[in-house]
Amino acid sequence: MNEMTAVRAPSPHLVLLVALSALQPMALNIIAPSTPELARQFNTDYATVQLTLTAYLIAVATSQLITGPWSDRSGRRPVVLFGCATFLVGCLFAAIAPTIEALIFARVVQAIGSGTTFAMARAVIRDTSQRDEAASRIGYMMVAMLVVPMLSPTVGSLIDRFIGWQAIFFMMAVVGTISLALVWTRLPETNITRDAQASFGKLASAFPTLLSNRAFLAYTLSVCATSGLFFSFVAGAPHVVVVSMRQAPEVYALWFIVLSGGYTIGNFLAGRFAGRLGSERLILIGTWVTLVAMIVQAAWAMMAELTLSVLFVPAFLVTLGNGITIPGASASALSVRPDLAGSAAGLSGALQLWTAAAASWLTGHIVTSSPKGLIGIMLACAIAGALALMIPRTLPKQ
């Protein structure tokens, strides 16, 4: 059955899907300003406290590999309810954690919940929308989601300062409770093609099936390369600006707002023109904008000293291209096998996060000895994204 004749479930309001997606970046970023205080409170070193972030990212990525296939079998609604409830339990346990080990465990529980809701929000969009419409909705959803990681550290620092770090987790518990109530009352089951009798062996076969599909590989590798490029910048640019260029941290923060603007504009353009131009054309446009901007930046860096202009002006176009690429590529990856949209959302999300973590780790080791090495890593990611789209690919008819 192609997408034109397929029966679709009613689409939930985009605000609900944004809220479900926002749990993950909110929980990741809101606690960051409190890490020095956590080290003092638990009488431990900073590296141990950083495990509250590292373990969170690993758990987010890994949880999607389980909950995605589960939702293909049992439906999206029960899996989303599980995600919201797990997130709520993790928040409450973190707020009363007596040791740093207990807090790290609570963060893993949080991550399982928020990783589940993040993946399911995209799967629900794919269940209820054709491919280009899904790209448009994902684009608009990501515009709204950008506000969360931008504001979360500020909100977290204010709560920590005036009430205490435990209040941050209690506040997230309130958000989790509201999300659980909204899902219970407002989210219908959208996976009308689920196979409730599917065995665990059949569920496990979804990943090899997807990985053997050239279209899924092409679009997922495109998203992975784009995410790797962005997170390598996030990992390396603060060191380049503050240490190598000897600028104040506030300088980097102000320039990063400009880059966030580029990403927001790209997401908005994807949402606005996905239906008119089509996902495929938008993916190609975004990929080429990113690649050309990176080539210009690399050439500029080779001919001149590394300055704020060299670092950030081309990077604005890079984030613009990223913002155009990711919604269409994500929607297309989920369109390869609509009957496996949950598995596709989980697998592509996990691969995206693992790539981002690897790029961040590599950049952190290279940039301290070679600041311009940051641009080399970003250029390599841009080239990889373009090469990924050279894989022959076909999708079901719209």
Side-chain angles (χ1 to χ4, degrees):
M1 180 180 294
N2 63 36
E3 288 193 90
M4 187 67 75
T5 59
V7 178
R8 298 188 183 279
S11 178
H13 200 285
L14 188 60
V15 172
L16 173 58
L17 300 179
V18 169
L20 293 175
S21 299
L23 293 180
Q24 188 261 111
M26 175 190 69
L28 174 64
N29 292 283
I30 197 170
I31 197 66
S34 300
T35 48
E37 176 61 23
L38 291 174
R40 289 191 292 270
Q41 288 285 329
F42 291 110
N43 192 28
T44 188
D45 58 277
Y46 189 73
T48 301
V49 173
Q50 283 297 103
L51 289 175
T52 60
L53 302 178
T54 304
Y56 182 94
L57 280 175
I58 294 173
V60 165
T62 306
S63 66
Q64 296 181 48
L65 295 177
I66 300 171
T67 55
W70 175 23
S71 74
D72 286 335
R73 180 182 189 273
S74 302
R76 315 296 184 217
R77 177 179 163 85
V79 176
V80 176
L81 287 170
F82 162 81
C84 291
T86 302
F87 178 80
L88 173 59
V89 170
C91 292
L92 292 174
F93 187 46
I96 61 173
T99 64
I100 187 62
E101 291 80 10
L103 180 60
I104 293 170
F105 175 78
R107 289 285 283 170
V108 169
V109 175
Q110 258 194 325
I112 292 172
S114 63
T116 297
T117 60
F118 180 80
M120 288 302 99
R122 291 184 297 164
V124 167
I125 287 178
R126 186 62 193 88
D127 289 340
T128 57
S129 311
Q130 292 185 357
R131 177 162 55 106
D132 292 339
E133 182 186 358
S136 176
R137 298 190 76 197
I138 290 174
Y140 285 131
M141 182 175 72
M142 294 183 74
V143 171
M145 279 184 60
L146 282 172
V147 177
V148 175
M150 289 176 64
L151 296 182
S152 292
T154 301
V155 173
S157 63
L158 291 174
I159 294 176
D160 185 9
R161 179 179 179 183
F162 292 105
I163 306 177
W165 64 267
Q166 294 93 338
I168 297 175
F169 291 103
F170 281 122
M171 185 275 290
M172 283 193 282
V174 172
V175 174
T177 301
I178 294 172
S179 299
L180 182 61
L182 288 175
V183 169
W184 184 267
T185 58
R186 300 292 183 180
L187 182 67
E189 180 52 61
T190 62
N191 183 12
I192 59 177
T193 62
R194 63 190 181 278
D195 183 1
Q197 304 303 317
S199 65
F200 287 103
K202 183 178 180 180
L203 293 176
S205 69
F207 293 148
T209 298
L210 290 167
L211 290 173
S212 65
N213 188 294
R214 290 180 298 183
F216 178 82
L217 272 181
Y219 295 121
T220 298
L221 291 176
S222 172
V223 172
C224 288
T226 302
S227 298
L229 188 158
F230 178 76
F231 278 94
S232 63
F233 184 90
V234 171
H239 183 276
V240 172
V241 172
V242 177
V243 179
S244 301
M245 297 183 186
R246 299 182 181 179
Q247 299 286 335
E250 293 79 8
V251 173
Y252 170 79
L254 290 173
W255 274 101
F256 191 77
I257 292 175
V258 175
L259 298 192
S260 299
Y263 196 77
T264 302
I265 293 171
N267 285 156
F268 176 80
L269 292 175
R272 180 70 177 83
F273 293 106
R276 184 182 307 176
L277 298 178
S279 299
E280 190 72 20
R281 189 174 298 175
L282 280 177
I283 295 168
L284 292 173
I285 291 173
T287 299
W288 278 105
V289 168
T290 298
L291 180 58
V292 170
M294 280 309 312
I295 292 173
V296 170
Q297 185 178 51
W300 193 358
M302 288 178 63
M303 296 184 296
E305 182 183 351
L306 195 57
T307 64
L308 290 171
S309 297
V310 173
L311 188 63
F312 285 100
V313 173
F316 174 83
L317 295 176
V318 169
T319 55
L320 176 68
N322 287 357
I324 295 172
T325 300
I326 287 181
S330 298
S332 296
L334 271 60
S335 299
V336 169
R337 287 286 301 270
D339 58 318
L340 299 177
S343 298
L347 181 56
S348 63
L351 291 173
Q352 182 180 353
L353 285 172
W354 285 336
T355 302
S360 300
W361 178 86
L362 179 62
T363 302
H365 282 73
I366 290 178
V367 76
T368 52
S369 58
S370 175
K372 290 187 179 181
L374 168 63
I375 296 176
I377 295 173
M378 293 169 63
L379 178 60
C381 290
I383 294 172
L387 291 176
L389 297 181
M390 295 177 66
I391 299 174
R393 56 198 185 277
T394 58
L395 286 175
K397 294 182 179 179
Q398 291 268 22

